[in-house]
């Protein structure tokens, strides 16, 4: 077993991010068996779940004349527009059915605020609105975080960088992640994470 100050954070392993889903990440399903094994090593296991209301502002369908994967300017900065995905209560928002969720102690839902997207498990995309995860980790004395899941270049990246900036030790296990890779986003994510002090293993 890992030390008691270590947590595994499994990001968004949901149907819509797996092949056949609305925002499918290539090979997204392939990481599930490995994550299930990894779960057994940790005293603390936390899952995140992308959880948008219908008509969320990150959906291209909410902005006339736009298409998925276009960038727009929101009040809080640039935002990629996505196909409708992970709508609250839908099958697409459920965890991949082979993922072992029994051991999870906390499931943190994010992106439920209609006006702000939330890639990171710690802060929404305005970089100010907290999800509450940081307080949970600190009050449990969990300061070493291992992150895995989907997608490497968006939600894993934003979560890892935010956590590193807030002083947590962060390791991203790339074998247990898959990327969207939109316009060089994976290369940018790798350098951004390295710069923030995230260990890429
Ligand atoms: C994600 C795009 C939109 C992710 C979530 O989990 O990486 N990406 N919503
Ligand atoms: Zn989303």
């Amino acid at each position: 077993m890992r030390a008691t100050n270590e947590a595994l954070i499994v990001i968004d392993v949901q149907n819509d991010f797996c092949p056949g889903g609305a925002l499918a990440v290539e090979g997204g399903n392939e990481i599930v068996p490995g994550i299930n094994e990894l779960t057994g090593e940790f005293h603390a296991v936390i899952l995140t779940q992308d959880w948008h209301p219908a008509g969320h502002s990150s959906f291209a369908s909410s902005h006339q004349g736009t298409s998925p994967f276009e960038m727009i300017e929101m009040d809080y900065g640039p935002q990629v527009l996505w196909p409708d995905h992970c709508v609250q209560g839908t099958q697409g928002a459920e965890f991949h059915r082979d993922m072992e969720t029994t051991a999870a102690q906390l499931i943190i839902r994010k992106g439920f605020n209609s006006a702000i997207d939330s890639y990171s498990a710690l802060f929404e995309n305005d970089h100010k609105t907290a999800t509450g995860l940081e307080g949970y980790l600190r009050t449990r004395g969990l300061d070493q975080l291992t992150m895995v899941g989907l997608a490497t270049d968006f939600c894993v990246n934003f979560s890892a960088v935010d956590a590193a900036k807030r002083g947590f030790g962060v390791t991203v296990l790339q074998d247990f992640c898959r990327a969207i890779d939109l316009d060089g986003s994976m290369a940018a994510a790798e350098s951004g994470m390295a710069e923030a002090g995230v260990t890429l293993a």
Side-chain angles (χ1 to χ4, degrees), residues 3 26 115:
E26 208 184 315

Side-chain angles (χ1 to χ4, degrees), residues 12 17 23 50-52 56 58-59 79 82-83 85-86 110-111 117-119 155:
D12 299 0
F17 297 123
L23 178 40
D50 210 39
W51 194 251
H52 300 305
H56 190 259
S58 74
F59 298 168
Q79 170 71 45
W82 302 106
H85 66 279
C86 297
K110 59 185 182 59
D117 205 0
S118 187
Y119 295 150
C155 290

